[in-house]
Amino acid sequence: MALSEENRERIIKFFGLAKRAFHIAFIPAILYIGFSTSVPRPSLLRLISPLAA
Amino acid sequence: MAETTSVAHSILAPVAALADSVSDFKKRQKLACTGPFENLHRETKGVFPTLHLIQGAKFDVTSMMSQNFQVSHSFSWGASQQPPSYHFSAGYQAKKYLLHGQVDDQGNLSARGNYFWAYAPSTPALPHLEPHAHTEHQYDPNLPPHPTDAPVDPATSAAAAPAAQAPPTPPPFTKPSLTSKFQAQLTNTPGQSMVQYEHDWVGETCAINLKAINPNPLDAPAARTVGGPSTSTTGIFSVSGLQSITSSVSVGAEWVYTRLRPGAGESNTTVAVKWAPSSPGPVPAPPSLPAGFPSPYMPTNPADPHQVFAASYALSQGVAQASYWRRLNQRLEVAADVQMLITPNSLAGGPGRREGIASVGFKLDTVYATMRGMLDTMGRVSAVLEERMAPGLSFQVCGEIDYSKGGGGVGKVGLGFTLEA
């Protein structure tokens, strides 16, 4: 499969953006999945202080 | 139609018969489940304090929001080599997959994701407080024995109490599983990030593991030629396997192919052997416990081996590691480990080297505390004491002294608190 320099640059740039997006969004995604599926639904304050009810 | 099915049957029937005879052979030999290759020296890592040493002070707060979701904050300061740092980690565990992320104050992310295809893993994947008899069974030596419905009679109550308080047997330590794992360490400094994909299959008698670190199938090739390939693959790829050949002995190998620049690849092989005799029965109770007393210590599966000897040898680097682990009773485990570097004389590499480190250690679990100690031939002594002061509150103190460095030795001390709410 022939990959021209221009396409390679585009793919490298895409993976760079994808890496940045993953870096920023991974932990918020886990928090979203955890908060939305936990029963009973915990309050957001518990994120900072575990002693909150 | 009938002819095609009979032809298919005549081809498939001998294959099915062969598969049946292989599985019968395996059952007759009673081959044990080996666990993955990277768990060869795992029991000694659980005994030595090396992984549990902290330097300075550390404070951990973990919130279990629900059974599947946990969030933890960790502060550490006072270490001489590391500046004060804060780590935030979140973990979510569902039946089929697991996600865990940890970010620190510099913005470095350590992300992990596992997908369990068919079987659940045997070891807990999320880091949390180790289950212990104290938190699991609420055993208090000051309380009277568990009240039973029958009238209190000393002979029958002593016999009934062990049955009433017997905790459930945990699953065996090594179990078949099929897992795909993804791990990433992303940093803000360019070029320092790492991504690892792993596929791990642990079968009834053997285990195979495929791993790829920073695979890049689209890297520019070393020498660009007209009509030649315009891409080349770089990365670190490894295949490892472990197969049990008798009920106690298993052999394995690992092949790692490293190709960090296009055109320059090297491969390393490691061979290993593991001896884990199937245990004659349940682990004996410690001698300090009166006979017939219900044991307050964590139960172990009676099928798990009580002693494990594992040896591995990396052929190209000349690094050999041998370790021996033994569980003496329900609360005491001992381990010994030897690592050697043996290289022959060579023109390019200079004179041959022959160096080794041996270490001996123990782990003692009491009802409220766990103590680990280790002694090294490099002149290092280290110990960790972890104590559960109340359900959810755990205190850890550790120390290490290196006597080989001058001036009476160089020491490190660490103190930690873990709060689970």
Side-chain angles (χ1 to χ4, degrees):
Chain A
M1 192 200 78
L3 188 67
S4 65
E5 263 318 297
E6 196 186 318
N7 284 342
R8 174 176 282 119
E9 302 266 310
R10 283 201 194 119
I11 290 178
I12 289 175
K13 203 165 153 202
F14 168 72
F15 272 105
L17 275 177
K19 178 189 157 228
R20 272 199 79 191
F22 183 79
H23 195 151
I24 292 170
F26 187 68
I27 296 240
I30 296 182
L31 292 175
Y32 175 71
I33 294 175
F35 273 105
S36 56
T37 58
S38 293
V39 173
R41 189 142 179 177
S43 66
L44 275 175
L45 194 59
R46 280 202 73 183
L47 196 62
I48 310 168
S49 149
L51 304 166
Chain B
M1 190 65 186
E3 294 111 29
T4 52
T5 51
S6 67
V7 163
H9 184 75
S10 63
I11 293 171
L12 290 174
V15 174
L18 181 64
D20 278 339
S21 66
V22 165
S23 74
D24 280 342
F25 173 74
K26 282 185 190 169
K27 287 198 184 80
R28 273 200 312 269
Q29 299 292 100
K30 290 198 259 295
L31 297 178
C33 182
T34 57
F37 186 87
E38 56 194 10
N39 283 0
L40 270 177
H41 301 283
R42 188 186 181 181
E43 285 91 0
T44 54
K45 285 187 192 142
V47 166
F48 289 150
T50 328
L51 292 173
H52 305 263
L53 280 175
I54 52 181
Q55 202 191 358
K58 189 166 168 223
F59 183 59
D60 261 333
V61 179
T62 303
S63 304
M64 303 281 296
M65 308 273 194
S66 79
Q67 205 188 13
N68 306 331
F69 180 45
Q70 74 175 37
V71 161
S72 122
H73 307 258
S74 161
F75 302 88
S76 78
W77 66 98
S80 56
Q81 275 96 27
Q82 291 146 8
S85 70
Y86 163 73
H87 290 260
F88 173 78
S89 77
Y92 180 74
Q93 180 163 24
K95 191 159 170 279
K96 278 287 200 180
Y97 65 92
L98 157 82
L99 290 172
H100 178 81
Q102 184 180 62
V103 66
D104 73 351
D105 54 322
Q106 306 288 329
N108 303 328
L109 172 70
S110 161
R112 216 163 32 105
N114 290 2
Y115 185 77
F116 314 118
W117 293 90
Y119 316 105
S122 57
T123 49
L126 277 182
H128 61 106
L129 285 181
E130 281 179 19
H132 193 267
H134 172 71
T135 50
E136 295 287 304
H137 312 302
Q138 305 299 319
Y139 174 72
D140 191 340
N142 299 323
L143 287 178
H146 189 77
T148 57
D149 293 333
V152 179
D153 182 332
T156 56
S157 69
Q165 282 184 344
T169 316
F173 190 67
T174 50
K175 246 173 49 169
S177 68
L178 184 62
T179 320
S180 294
K181 299 184 198 170
F182 157 78
Q183 192 177 334
Q185 314 255 7
L186 301 177
T187 61
N188 287 325
T189 50
Q192 294 265 340
S193 307
M194 185 271 277
V195 163
Q196 174 181 308
Y197 304 98
E198 184 179 340
H199 190 78
D200 190 35
W201 173 63
V202 177
E204 297 277 337
T205 58
C206 64
I208 296 178
N209 182 299
L210 304 165
K211 217 183 277 196
I213 300 176
N214 284 344
N216 189 357
L218 301 172
D219 217 340
R224 202 66 67 86
T225 58
V226 174
S230 58
T231 60
S232 80
T233 311
T234 56
I236 303 174
F237 305 95
S238 93
V239 179
S240 65
L242 195 59
Q243 164 77 51
S244 73
I245 50 180
T246 74
S247 61
S248 323
V249 178
S250 39
V251 292
E254 181 187 32
W255 181 72
V256 178
Y257 182 63
T258 308
R259 196 183 199 189
L260 295 171
R261 282 185 324 276
E266 59 169 26
S267 66
N268 297 316
T269 319
T270 307
V271 292
V273 67
K274 177 168 150 180
W275 174 73
S278 44
S279 61
V283 180
S288 57
L289 220 51
F293 206 75
S295 166
Y297 305 111
M298 271 303 280
T300 56
N301 191 299
D304 284 341
H306 295 172
Q307 38 182 342
V308 170
F309 171 77
S312 63
Y313 179 57
L315 294 155
S316 37
Q317 291 135 338
V319 174
Q321 182 177 8
S323 68
Y324 176 68
W325 169 84
R326 174 129 186 215
R327 189 192 291 272
L328 293 173
N329 56 41
Q330 278 170 0
R331 67 175 186 178
L332 183 59
E333 293 171 31
V334 293
D337 181 89
V338 168
Q339 293 184 29
M340 286 180 295
L341 174 66
I342 306 169
T343 53
N345 287 333
S346 68
L347 289 171
R353 299 166 65 180
R354 218 199 225 178
E355 299 162 3
I357 303 176
S359 40
V360 173
F362 75 94
K363 176 171 101 135
L364 182 70
D365 283 311
T366 63
V367 177
Y368 296 101
T370 302
M371 193 181 337
R372 292 176 164 99
M374 182 176 92
L375 176 61
D376 224 328
T377 53
M378 302 242 302
R380 258 194 319 218
V381 179
S382 57
V384 173
L385 170 68
E386 186 188 319
E387 189 153 343
R388 286 161 283 275
M389 293 161 48
L393 178 63
S394 156
F395 164 71
Q396 180 185 346
V397 63
C398 59
E400 182 188 34
I401 303 187
D402 196 340
Y403 285 105
S404 63
K405 302 201 169 114
V410 169
K412 295 184 209 169
V413 173
L415 193 69
F417 271 99
T418 304
L419 177 67
E420 183 176 313

